[in-house]
């Protein structure tokens, strides 16, 4: 109740006239079947912005105004959120939903507002020549698929000939993304691909796992989100599928996904494109400027989880993009178009990350006019139930860029032809 | 006192059977039409159109369609989401196959295709009724969603399995695609809504509507007095599906622009539209509009009041919104089991007497 009153008072104070500030909407979901994964991300995203405001007085002296809007992972609500926030001078959208991303790609392109889909969304949007306003670095779904197969190749002495690999996926635009790459890779490496779709929201997977038990695939790859992850891992445990042969994409690799299955979830692997844990200098600042002052978003209990870190990573890229934009254009009160330039010339180096207190947090990459997809590297993490933590198994693995570039080019060209877009950057 | 019929003389049969027998109602109706057609298009912005008017208008068409089937003809259907998907996918296939034809024709033809599909799935209604029919239409819902997810031809083999509306115009104005004008999409949908409501009203008070209602009230008695159940039920399925198909096509092409069948047209959509007509009023044109307004606009209103107005956390507001909507539904149904349309009818009766009730 006290919190409620505080929030109300804060709300009425904040409702006063706004000064020039940088607006970053947060299209979050703290309710519904995807909330378990949506909450930590939204908290991390909000906390990083609070830290920048509290510690640095904003970006280049301009305070950040984050508007949160609840989408419930629902596209209709996503549209409402987009329409209600775009008028407030939104600089960058991060919808955290592939479905909403598809919805917003034409809209943000028409309105000229950049959108960053951090490791999700439409893979071919990494072609900046066609998708001027969309960014999806540091890695895309096709990178993820390629990295997973590369890792399996490594495990199997370089050959997947005659192996059987099952793909358990969320039956939506999100889950269908990797199929194209995996089909290509299965032809190249001679493995058999089994496709097992799971319908929204993913609580019902008995038949899929029965099929896995019957066919005994050598590996299972999963593209899941929300409640589907927990159910899948529990089902895998139930049929006694060897957990170390089960690999999830980076959206299927948070604590919330593995904890419900208990000890037997140990050994489950997942991709990731940033570091785990809270052993970073930035966390000390978060403690000092945000949490100890009672400014933490949500319940404040998500710090250090995989998805909280990812929220921080997303906000960090937004802030760095804004800094870059201010630097290029020499103004502090940037417009969405200037923000796009900043995002496009963003360079993520070891030095930058160390400076920010996030040493070795993610892969290094640099964006350009034509490359909006980053370097395409991801590492494999493994769950250790006893230690209750994710362990990093490998270094960042580079995806098969030749194959992915070819596929991206194909898909982006088709999109450009469909929508009469001319390639830029030449 | 204010709301009265004294002095409003009916001198012809036409006058006697008009839709709005009370002068005040007629004025209100024409004033509403004038505002909707001639004032709102000049003042709407993107937010109002995309978050408020388009969903309201489109769901109103779907509710009108389902009301014909369930409210007037008494056939319970849980296949609304599936039939909306048929409309959306037909519209997509037509838009991509015939890019030069204007979008209005695509929407109408999508409605006709849905009508055919609806009649096909309406065949079991000749043998079964009530809950059993509801289950049969539920099968339609799941089958259609599965079909559009499964068969690549329906989504032109796109990698994501999504369909997205290309830019199409009507008389040179963009109606679909990202660069539309707010007023153009609003007027386009409004014209469909007005036409649908007008057609529905006239169908339901004509001989066809009487046959439907006879079937609804007692099918054996209806058969004995000469109503052909085959024709009555199938026509209800066909016409109802036509409107649902039109609303599905508009939902995809004009409102969202890109849909994914499982998420946009799942079982939840069927329930949503069914709740609309139950809360609005079964067997009432006005009820379809009231129900759509209640289910679509209330969440947006609550969100605006709680989050933007009071500054409450978004998750708290979202949870409260469920509770308030749910509570109001229960309250409405206790206060008036026949829906908001009946509530309005009773209010009107009372207003006629006011301030001197007998």
């Amino acid at each position: 109740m006290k919190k409620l009153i505080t929030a109300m008072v804060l709300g009425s104070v904040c409702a006063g006239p706004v000064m020039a500030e940088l607006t970053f909407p947060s299209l979050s979901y703290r309710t519904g079947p995807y909330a378990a994964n949506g909450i930590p991300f939204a908290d991390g995203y909000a906390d990083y912005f609070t830290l920048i405001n509290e510690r640095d007085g904003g970006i280049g002296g301009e305070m950040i105004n984050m508007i949160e809007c609840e989408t419930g992972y629902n596209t209709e609500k996503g549209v409402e959120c987009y329409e209600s926030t775009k008028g407030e001078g939104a600089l960058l959208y991060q919808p955290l939903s592939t479905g909403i991303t598809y919805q917003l790609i034409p809209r943000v392109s028409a309105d000229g507002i950049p959108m960053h889909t951090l490791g999700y969304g439409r893979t071919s949007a990494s072609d900046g020549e066609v998708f001027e306003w969309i960014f999806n670095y540091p890695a895309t779904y096709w990178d993820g698929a390629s990295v997973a197969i590369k890792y399996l190749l490594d495990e199997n002495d370089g050959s997947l000939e005659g192996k059987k690999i099952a793909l358990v996926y969320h039956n939506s635009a999100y889950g269908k993304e990797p199929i194209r790459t995996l089909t290509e890779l299965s032809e190249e490496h001679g493995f058999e691909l089994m496709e097992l779709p799971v319908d929204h929201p993913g609580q019902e997977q008995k038949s899929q796992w029965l099929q896995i038990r019957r066919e005994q695939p050598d590996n299972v790859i999963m593209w899941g989100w929300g409640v589907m992850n927990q159910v899948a891992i529990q089902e895998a445990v139930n049929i006694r599928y060897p957990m170390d042969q089960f690999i999830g994409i980076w959206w299927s690799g948070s604590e919330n996904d593995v904890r419900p299955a208990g000890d037997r979830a140990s050994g489950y692997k997942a991709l990731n494109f940033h570091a785990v844990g809270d052993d970073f200098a930035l966390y000390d600042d978060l403690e000092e400027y945000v949490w100890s002052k009672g400014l933490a978003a949500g319940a404040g209990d998500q710090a250090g989880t995989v998805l909280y870190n990812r929220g921080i990573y997303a906000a960090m890229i937004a802030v760095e993009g804004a800094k870059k934009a201010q630097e290029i254009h020499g103004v502090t009160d940037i417009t969405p178009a200037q923000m796009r330039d900043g995002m496009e010339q963003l360079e993520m180096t070891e030095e930058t990350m160390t400076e920010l207190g996030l040493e070795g947090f993610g892969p290094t990459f640099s964006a350009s006019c034509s490359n909006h997809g980053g370097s395409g590297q991801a590492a494999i993490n493994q769950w250790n139930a006893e230690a209750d933590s994710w362990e990093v198994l490998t270094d960042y693995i580079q995806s098969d860029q030749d194959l992915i570039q070819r596929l991206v080019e194909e898909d982006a060209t088709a999109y450009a032809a469909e929508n009469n877009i001319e390639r830029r950057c030449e | 006192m204010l709301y009265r019929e004294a002095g409003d003389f009916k001198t012809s049969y036409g006058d006697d059977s008009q839709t709005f027998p009370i002068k005040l109602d007629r004025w209100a109706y024409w004033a509403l039409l004038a505002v909707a057609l001639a004032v709102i298009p000049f003042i709407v912005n993107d937010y109002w159109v995309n978050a408020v008017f388009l969903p309201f208008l489109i769901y109103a068409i779907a509710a009108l369609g389902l009301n014909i089937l369930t409210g007037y003809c008494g056939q319970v259907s849980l296949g609304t989401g599936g039939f909306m998907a048929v409309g959306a996918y037909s519209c997509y296939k037509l838009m991509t196959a015939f890019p030069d034809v204007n979008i209005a024709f695509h929407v109408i033809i999508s409605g006709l295709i849905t009508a055919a599909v609806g009649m096909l799935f309406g065949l079991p209604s000749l043998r079964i009724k009530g809950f059993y029919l509801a289950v049969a239409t539920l099968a339609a819902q799941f089958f259609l969603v599965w079909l559009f997810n499964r068969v690549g031809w329906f989504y032109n083999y796109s990698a994501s399995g999504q369909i997205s509306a290309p830019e199409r115009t009507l008389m040179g104005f963009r109606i679909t695609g990202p660069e539309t004008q707010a007023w153009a999409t609003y007027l386009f949908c409004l014209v469909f809504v007005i036409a649908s409501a007008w057609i529905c009203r006239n169908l339901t008070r004509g001989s066809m509507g009487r046959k439907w209602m006879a079937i609804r009230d007692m099918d054996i008695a209806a058969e004995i007095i000469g109503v052909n159940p085959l024709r009555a039920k199938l026509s209800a399925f066909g016409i109802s599906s036509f409107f649902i198909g039109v609303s599905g096509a508009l939902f995809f092409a004009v409102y969202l622009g890109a849909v994914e069948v499982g998420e946009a047209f799942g079982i939840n959509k069927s329930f949503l539209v069914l709740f609309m007509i139950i809360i609005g009023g079964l067997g009432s044109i006005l009820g379809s509009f009231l129900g759509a307004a209640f289910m679509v606009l209330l969440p947006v209103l609550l969100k605006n009041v709680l989050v933007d107005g009071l500054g409450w956390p978004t998750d708290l507001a979202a949870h409260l919104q469920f509770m308030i909507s749910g509570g109001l539904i229960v309250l409405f149904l206790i206060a008036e089991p026949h829906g908001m349309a009946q509530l309005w009818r009773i209010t009107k009766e009372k207003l006629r007497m006011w301030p001197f009730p007998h």
Side-chain angles (χ1 to χ4, degrees), chain A residues 4 7-8 11 28 30-31 68-70 73-76 79-80 83-84 86 99 102-103 106-107 110 171-173 176 180 199 411, chain B residues 46-47 50-51 59 149 159-162 178-179 251 255-258 260 263 269 300 303 307 310-316 318-319:
Chain A
L4 203 90
M8 277 177 70
S28 64
R30 294 171 180 278
T31 59
E68 190 160 350
C69 187
E70 170 75 30
Y73 204 71
N74 174 302
T75 45
E76 283 164 68
V79 169
E80 200 265 341
E83 294 293 345
S84 71
K86 82 171 186 197
Y102 271 88
Q103 207 70 244
R107 287 175 203 249
N171 198 0
S172 66
K176 285 176 185 163
R180 186 173 279 189
D199 281 326
D411 197 58
Chain B
D46 274 357
Y47 177 75
N50 286 322
Y59 278 117
N149 230 328
S160 59
Q162 286 218 338
E179 308 211 20
F251 186 82
Y255 172 38
L256 286 183
E260 191 179 301
E263 207 247 338
K269 198 112 301 170
V300 177
K303 183 216 145 196
V307 178
L310 297 174
W312 287 8
T314 50
D315 51 341
L316 179 73
H319 287 131

Coordinates of all heavy atoms in Angstrom, one line a residue, chain A residues 4 7-8 11 28 30-31 68-70 73-76 79-80 83-84 86 99 102-103 106-107 110 171-173 176 180 199 411, chain B residues 46-47 50-51 59 149 159-162 178-179 251 255-258 260 263 269 300 303 307 310-316 318-319:
Chain A
L4 N 2.2 1.8 -3.3 CA 1.2 2.3 -4.2 C 1.0 3.8 -4.0 O 1.0 4.5 -5.0 CB -0.1 1.6 -3.8 CG -1.2 1.5 -4.8 CD1 -1.0 0.2 -5.6 CD2 -2.6 1.5 -4.2
A7 N 3.9 5.5 -5.5 CA 3.8 5.5 -6.9 C 2.9 6.6 -7.4 O 3.1 7.3 -8.4 CB 3.4 4.2 -7.4
M8 N 1.7 6.7 -6.6 CA 0.7 7.7 -7.0 C 1.3 9.1 -6.9 O 1.1 10.0 -7.8 CB -0.5 7.6 -6.2 CG -1.4 6.5 -6.6 SD -2.8 6.3 -5.5 CE -3.7 7.8 -5.8
G11 N 3.8 9.7 -9.5 CA 3.1 9.9 -10.8 C 2.5 11.3 -10.9 O 2.7 11.9 -12.0
S28 N 6.7 -3.4 -22.3 CA 7.0 -4.6 -21.4 C 5.8 -5.5 -21.3 O 4.7 -5.1 -21.7 CB 7.5 -4.1 -20.1 OG 6.4 -3.4 -19.4
R30 N 4.4 -7.6 -17.9 CA 4.5 -8.1 -16.6 C 3.3 -9.0 -16.2 O 3.1 -9.3 -15.1 CB 4.6 -6.9 -15.6 CG 5.9 -6.1 -15.8 CD 5.9 -4.8 -15.0 NE 7.1 -4.0 -15.2 CZ 8.2 -4.2 -14.5 NH1 8.3 -5.2 -13.6 NH2 9.3 -3.5 -14.7
T31 N 2.4 -9.2 -17.2 CA 1.3 -10.1 -17.0 C 1.2 -11.1 -18.1 O 1.9 -10.9 -19.1 CB 0.0 -9.3 -17.0 OG1 -0.2 -8.6 -18.3 CG2 -0.1 -8.3 -15.9
E68 N 6.7 3.3 -19.6 CA 6.4 1.9 -19.7 C 5.0 1.6 -20.1 O 4.1 2.3 -19.7 CB 6.7 1.2 -18.3 CG 6.6 -0.3 -18.4 CD 7.3 -0.9 -17.2 OE1 8.0 -0.3 -16.4 OE2 7.2 -2.2 -17.1
C69 N 4.8 0.6 -21.0 CA 3.5 0.3 -21.5 C 3.3 -1.2 -21.5 O 4.2 -1.9 -22.1 CB 3.3 0.9 -22.8 SG 1.6 0.8 -23.4
E70 N 2.3 -1.7 -20.9 CA 2.1 -3.1 -20.8 C 1.5 -3.7 -22.1 O 0.4 -3.3 -22.5 CB 1.2 -3.4 -19.6 CG 0.6 -4.8 -19.5 CD 1.7 -5.7 -18.9 OE1 2.6 -5.3 -18.2 OE2 1.6 -6.9 -19.3
Y73 N 2.4 -9.3 -24.3 CA 2.9 -10.0 -25.5 C 1.8 -10.2 -26.5 O 1.8 -11.1 -27.4 CB 3.3 -11.4 -25.0 CG 4.3 -12.1 -25.9 CD1 5.6 -11.7 -26.0 CD2 4.0 -13.2 -26.7 CE1 6.5 -12.3 -26.9 CE2 4.9 -13.9 -27.5 CZ 6.2 -13.4 -27.6 OH 7.1 -14.0 -28.4
N74 N 0.9 -9.2 -26.5 CA -0.3 -9.3 -27.4 C -0.1 -8.2 -28.5 O 0.2 -7.0 -28.1 CB -1.5 -9.0 -26.5 CG -2.8 -8.9 -27.4 OD1 -2.9 -8.1 -28.2 ND2 -3.7 -9.8 -27.1
T75 N -0.3 -8.6 -29.7 CA 0.0 -7.6 -30.8 C -1.0 -6.4 -30.8 O -0.6 -5.3 -31.1 CB 0.0 -8.3 -32.2 OG1 -1.1 -9.1 -32.2 CG2 1.2 -9.1 -32.4
E76 N -2.2 -6.7 -30.5 CA -3.2 -5.6 -30.5 C -2.8 -4.5 -29.4 O -2.9 -3.3 -29.7 CB -4.6 -6.1 -30.2 CG -5.2 -6.7 -31.5 CD -6.4 -7.5 -31.1 OE1 -7.4 -6.9 -30.7 OE2 -6.4 -8.8 -31.2
V79 N 0.2 -2.5 -30.5 CA -0.1 -1.4 -31.5 C -0.6 -0.2 -30.6 O -0.2 0.9 -30.9 CB -1.2 -1.9 -32.5 CG1 -1.7 -0.7 -33.2 CG2 -0.6 -2.9 -33.4
E80 N -1.5 -0.5 -29.6 CA -2.0 0.6 -28.8 C -0.8 1.3 -28.1 O -0.8 2.5 -28.1 CB -3.0 0.0 -27.8 CG -3.9 1.1 -27.2 CD -3.5 1.6 -25.9 OE1 -2.6 1.0 -25.3 OE2 -3.9 2.7 -25.6
E83 N 1.2 3.4 -30.6 CA 0.5 4.6 -31.0 C 0.5 5.7 -29.8 O 0.5 6.8 -30.1 CB -0.9 4.3 -31.5 CG -1.0 3.5 -32.7 CD -0.5 4.3 -34.0 OE1 -0.3 5.5 -33.9 OE2 -0.2 3.6 -35.0
S84 N 0.3 5.1 -28.6 CA 0.2 6.1 -27.5 C 1.5 6.7 -27.1 O 1.6 7.7 -26.5 CB -0.5 5.4 -26.3 OG 0.4 4.5 -25.7
K86 N 4.3 7.0 -29.4 CA 5.1 7.6 -30.4 C 5.0 9.1 -30.5 O 5.9 9.8 -30.9 CB 4.8 7.0 -31.8 CG 3.6 7.6 -32.5 CD 3.5 7.0 -33.9 CE 2.3 7.7 -34.6 NZ 1.9 7.0 -35.8
G99 N 6.4 -11.1 -32.6 CA 5.1 -10.8 -33.3 C 4.9 -9.3 -33.4 O 4.5 -8.7 -34.4
Y102 N 7.2 -7.6 -36.0 CA 6.6 -7.7 -37.4 C 5.6 -6.6 -37.6 O 5.5 -6.0 -38.7 CB 6.1 -9.1 -37.7 CG 7.2 -10.0 -38.2 CD1 8.0 -10.8 -37.4 CD2 7.4 -10.1 -39.6 CE1 8.9 -11.6 -37.9 CE2 8.3 -10.9 -40.1 CZ 9.1 -11.7 -39.3 OH 10.1 -12.5 -39.8
Q103 N 4.8 -6.4 -36.6 CA 3.7 -5.4 -36.6 C 4.3 -4.0 -36.8 O 3.8 -3.2 -37.5 CB 3.0 -5.5 -35.3 CG 1.7 -5.1 -35.2 CD 0.8 -6.1 -35.9 OE1 0.3 -5.7 -36.9 NE2 0.8 -7.3 -35.4
P106 N 6.8 -2.1 -40.5 CA 6.4 -1.0 -41.4 C 6.0 0.3 -40.8 O 6.2 1.3 -41.4 CB 5.1 -1.7 -42.1 CG 4.8 -2.9 -41.3 CD 6.0 -3.3 -40.4
R107 N 5.5 0.2 -39.5 CA 5.0 1.5 -38.9 C 6.2 2.4 -38.5 O 6.2 3.5 -38.8 CB 4.2 1.2 -37.6 CG 2.8 0.6 -38.0 CD 2.1 0.2 -36.7 NE 1.0 -0.7 -37.0 CZ -0.3 -0.5 -37.0 NH1 -0.7 0.7 -36.6 NH2 -1.1 -1.4 -37.3
A110 N 7.7 3.9 -41.6 CA 6.9 5.0 -42.1 C 7.0 6.3 -41.2 O 7.1 7.4 -41.7 CB 5.5 4.6 -42.2
N171 N 5.1 -22.1 -32.0 CA 4.4 -22.0 -33.4 C 4.0 -20.6 -33.7 O 2.8 -20.3 -33.7 CB 3.3 -23.0 -33.4 CG 2.9 -23.3 -34.8 OD1 3.5 -22.9 -35.8 ND2 1.9 -24.2 -35.0
S172 N 5.0 -19.8 -34.0 CA 4.7 -18.4 -34.3 C 5.8 -17.9 -35.2 O 6.8 -18.6 -35.5 CB 4.6 -17.5 -33.0 OG 5.9 -17.5 -32.4
A173 N 5.8 -16.6 -35.5 CA 6.8 -16.0 -36.4 C 8.2 -16.2 -35.7 O 9.2 -16.5 -36.3 CB 6.6 -14.6 -36.6
K176 N 9.4 -19.9 -35.9 CA 9.6 -20.4 -37.3 C 10.9 -19.8 -37.9 O 11.3 -20.3 -38.9 CB 8.4 -20.1 -38.1 CG 7.2 -21.0 -37.9 CD 6.0 -20.5 -38.7 CE 4.8 -21.3 -38.4 NZ 3.6 -20.7 -38.9
R180 N 14.5 -21.9 -41.7 CA 15.1 -21.8 -43.0 C 16.6 -22.1 -42.9 O 17.1 -22.8 -43.7 CB 14.9 -20.4 -43.5 CG 15.4 -20.2 -44.9 CD 15.1 -18.8 -45.5 NE 13.7 -18.8 -46.0 CZ 13.2 -17.8 -46.7 NH1 13.9 -16.8 -46.9 NH2 12.0 -17.8 -47.1
D199 N 2.0 -24.9 -29.8 CA 1.1 -23.8 -29.9 C 1.2 -22.9 -28.7 O 1.4 -23.3 -27.6 CB -0.3 -24.2 -30.2 CG -0.5 -24.7 -31.7 OD1 0.2 -24.0 -32.5 OD2 -1.2 -25.6 -31.9
D411 N 16.2 -12.8 -48.4 CA 15.0 -12.4 -47.8 C 14.8 -10.9 -47.8 O 13.7 -10.5 -48.1 CB 15.0 -12.9 -46.3 CG 13.6 -12.9 -45.7 OD1 12.7 -13.6 -46.3 OD2 13.4 -12.3 -44.7
Chain B
D46 N -3.7 9.5 -35.3 CA -3.3 8.1 -35.4 C -3.7 7.3 -34.2 O -4.2 6.2 -34.3 CB -1.8 8.0 -35.6 CG -1.4 8.1 -37.0 OD1 -2.3 8.2 -37.9 OD2 -0.2 8.1 -37.3
Y47 N -3.5 7.9 -33.0 CA -3.8 7.2 -31.8 C -5.3 6.8 -31.7 O -5.6 5.7 -31.5 CB -3.4 8.0 -30.5 CG -3.7 7.2 -29.3 CD1 -3.0 6.1 -28.9 CD2 -4.9 7.6 -28.5 CE1 -3.3 5.4 -27.8 CE2 -5.2 6.8 -27.4 CZ -4.4 5.7 -27.0 OH -4.8 5.0 -25.9
N50 N -6.1 4.1 -34.5 CA -5.5 2.8 -34.3 C -5.8 2.1 -33.0 O -5.8 0.9 -32.9 CB -4.0 2.8 -34.6 CG -3.7 3.0 -36.0 OD1 -4.4 2.5 -36.9 ND2 -2.7 3.8 -36.3
A51 N -6.0 2.9 -32.0 CA -6.2 2.3 -30.6 C -7.7 2.2 -30.2 O -8.1 1.5 -29.4 CB -5.4 3.0 -29.6
Y59 N -14.7 -4.9 -34.6 CA -15.3 -5.8 -33.7 C -16.8 -5.7 -33.7 O -17.6 -6.7 -33.5 CB -14.8 -5.7 -32.2 CG -13.5 -6.4 -32.0 CD1 -12.4 -5.7 -31.6 CD2 -13.4 -7.8 -32.1 CE1 -11.2 -6.3 -31.4 CE2 -12.2 -8.4 -31.9 CZ -11.1 -7.7 -31.6 OH -9.9 -8.3 -31.3
N149 N -1.8 -22.3 -40.5 CA -0.5 -22.4 -39.9 C 0.3 -23.4 -40.7 O 1.6 -23.3 -40.8 CB -0.6 -22.9 -38.5 CG 0.2 -22.0 -37.6 OD1 1.3 -21.5 -38.0 ND2 -0.2 -21.9 -36.4
A159 N 8.8 -16.8 -44.7 CA 9.7 -17.5 -43.8 C 9.1 -17.6 -42.4 O 9.2 -18.5 -41.7 CB 11.0 -16.9 -43.7
S160 N 8.4 -16.5 -42.0 CA 7.9 -16.4 -40.6 C 6.5 -17.0 -40.5 O 6.0 -17.1 -39.4 CB 7.9 -14.9 -40.2 OG 7.0 -14.2 -41.1
G161 N 5.8 -17.3 -41.6 CA 4.5 -17.8 -41.5 C 3.5 -16.7 -41.2 O 2.3 -17.0 -41.0
Q162 N 3.9 -15.5 -41.2 CA 3.0 -14.3 -41.0 C 2.5 -13.9 -42.4 O 3.1 -14.1 -43.4 CB 3.8 -13.2 -40.4 CG 4.1 -13.4 -38.9 CD 3.9 -12.1 -38.2 OE1 4.0 -11.0 -38.7 NE2 3.7 -12.2 -36.9
P178 N 1.7 0.8 -44.3 CA 2.1 1.7 -43.2 C 1.8 3.2 -43.4 O 1.6 3.9 -42.4 CB 3.6 1.5 -43.1 CG 4.0 1.0 -44.4 CD 2.8 0.3 -45.0
E179 N 1.7 3.7 -44.6 CA 1.6 5.1 -44.8 C 0.2 5.6 -45.1 O -0.1 6.4 -45.9 CB 2.5 5.5 -46.0 CG 3.9 5.0 -45.8 CD 4.9 5.8 -46.4 OE1 4.7 7.0 -46.6 OE2 6.0 5.3 -46.7
F251 N -9.7 -6.4 -40.1 CA -8.9 -6.6 -38.9 C -7.4 -6.8 -39.4 O -6.5 -6.1 -38.9 CB -9.3 -7.8 -38.2 CG -8.6 -8.0 -36.9 CD1 -9.0 -7.4 -35.7 CD2 -7.6 -9.0 -36.7 CE1 -8.4 -7.6 -34.5 CE2 -7.0 -9.2 -35.5 CZ -7.4 -8.5 -34.4
Y255 N -6.4 -2.7 -39.9 CA -6.1 -2.4 -38.5 C -4.7 -2.9 -38.2 O -3.8 -2.1 -37.9 CB -7.1 -3.1 -37.6 CG -6.8 -3.1 -36.1 CD1 -6.3 -2.0 -35.5 CD2 -7.2 -4.2 -35.3 CE1 -6.0 -1.9 -34.2 CE2 -6.9 -4.1 -34.0 CZ -6.3 -3.0 -33.4 OH -6.1 -3.0 -32.1
L256 N -4.4 -4.2 -38.2 CA -3.1 -4.6 -37.8 C -2.0 -4.6 -38.9 O -0.9 -4.3 -38.6 CB -3.2 -6.1 -37.2 CG -3.8 -6.2 -35.8 CD1 -3.8 -7.6 -35.4 CD2 -3.1 -5.3 -34.8
G257 N -2.3 -4.9 -40.1 CA -1.3 -4.9 -41.2 C -0.5 -6.1 -41.2 O 0.0 -6.5 -42.3
A258 N -0.3 -6.9 -40.1 CA 0.4 -8.1 -40.2 C -0.2 -9.0 -39.1 O -0.4 -8.5 -38.0 CB 1.9 -7.9 -39.9
E260 N -0.6 -13.1 -37.3 CA -0.1 -14.5 -37.2 C -1.3 -15.2 -36.7 O -1.9 -14.8 -35.7 CB 1.0 -14.4 -36.1 CG 1.7 -15.6 -36.0 CD 2.7 -15.4 -34.8 OE1 3.5 -14.5 -34.9 OE2 2.6 -16.2 -33.9
E263 N -2.1 -16.4 -33.0 CA -2.2 -15.3 -32.0 C -3.4 -14.4 -32.2 O -4.1 -14.1 -31.3 CB -0.9 -14.5 -32.0 CG -0.6 -13.9 -30.6 CD -0.7 -12.4 -30.7 OE1 -0.6 -11.8 -31.8 OE2 -0.9 -11.8 -29.6
K269 N -10.3 -15.2 -29.5 CA -11.0 -14.2 -30.3 C -12.5 -14.7 -30.4 O -13.4 -13.9 -30.3 CB -10.4 -14.1 -31.7 CG -10.9 -12.9 -32.4 CD -9.8 -11.9 -32.6 CE -9.1 -11.4 -31.4 NZ -8.0 -10.6 -31.7
V300 N -8.9 0.0 -22.8 CA -8.1 1.2 -23.2 C -8.4 2.3 -22.3 O -7.4 3.0 -21.8 CB -8.4 1.6 -24.7 CG1 -7.7 2.8 -25.1 CG2 -8.1 0.4 -25.6
K303 N -6.7 1.7 -18.9 CA -5.2 1.8 -19.0 C -4.9 3.3 -19.0 O -4.0 3.7 -18.3 CB -4.7 1.2 -20.3 CG -3.2 1.3 -20.4 CD -2.8 1.5 -21.9 CE -1.6 2.3 -21.9 NZ -1.3 2.9 -23.2
V307 N -2.8 4.2 -15.7 CA -1.4 4.4 -16.0 C -1.0 5.8 -16.3 O -0.2 6.4 -15.7 CB -0.9 3.4 -17.1 CG1 0.6 3.6 -17.4 CG2 -1.2 2.0 -16.7
L310 N -3.2 8.3 -13.4 CA -2.8 8.2 -12.0 C -1.3 7.8 -11.8 O -0.8 7.9 -10.7 CB -3.6 7.2 -11.3 CG -5.1 7.5 -11.2 CD1 -5.9 6.4 -10.6 CD2 -5.3 8.8 -10.4
G311 N -0.7 7.4 -12.9 CA 0.8 7.0 -12.8 C 1.0 5.7 -12.0 O 2.1 5.5 -11.5
W312 N 0.0 4.8 -12.0 CA 0.3 3.5 -11.3 C 1.2 2.6 -12.2 O 1.3 2.8 -13.4 CB -1.1 2.8 -11.1 CG -1.9 3.5 -10.1 CD1 -1.7 4.6 -9.5 CD2 -3.2 3.0 -9.6 NE1 -2.7 4.9 -8.6 CE2 -3.6 3.9 -8.6 CE3 -3.9 1.8 -9.8 CZ2 -4.8 3.7 -7.9 CZ3 -5.1 1.7 -9.1 CH2 -5.5 2.6 -8.1
P313 N 1.8 1.7 -11.5 CA 2.7 0.7 -12.2 C 1.8 -0.1 -13.3 O 0.6 -0.3 -13.0 CB 3.2 -0.2 -11.2 CG 2.9 0.4 -9.9 CD 1.8 1.4 -10.1
T314 N 2.4 -0.4 -14.4 CA 1.7 -1.0 -15.5 C 1.1 -2.3 -15.2 O 0.1 -2.7 -15.6 CB 2.6 -1.1 -16.7 OG1 3.8 -1.7 -16.4 CG2 2.8 0.3 -17.3
D315 N 1.9 -3.1 -14.4 CA 1.4 -4.5 -14.1 C 0.2 -4.4 -13.2 O -0.8 -5.2 -13.3 CB 2.5 -5.4 -13.5 CG 3.2 -4.7 -12.4 OD1 3.1 -3.5 -12.2 OD2 3.9 -5.5 -11.6
L316 N 0.3 -3.5 -12.2 CA -0.9 -3.4 -11.3 C -2.1 -3.0 -12.1 O -3.2 -3.5 -11.9 CB -0.5 -2.3 -10.2 CG -1.6 -2.0 -9.2 CD1 -1.7 -3.2 -8.3 CD2 -1.4 -0.7 -8.5
A318 N -2.7 -3.5 -15.2 CA -3.2 -4.6 -16.0 C -4.0 -5.6 -15.2 O -5.0 -6.1 -15.7 CB -2.0 -5.3 -16.7
H319 N -3.5 -5.9 -14.0 CA -4.3 -6.8 -13.2 C -5.6 -6.2 -12.8 O -6.6 -6.9 -12.8 CB -3.4 -7.2 -12.0 CG -2.3 -8.1 -12.3 ND1 -1.0 -7.9 -11.8 CD2 -2.2 -9.2 -13.0 CE1 -0.2 -8.8 -12.3 NE2 -1.0 -9.7 -13.0

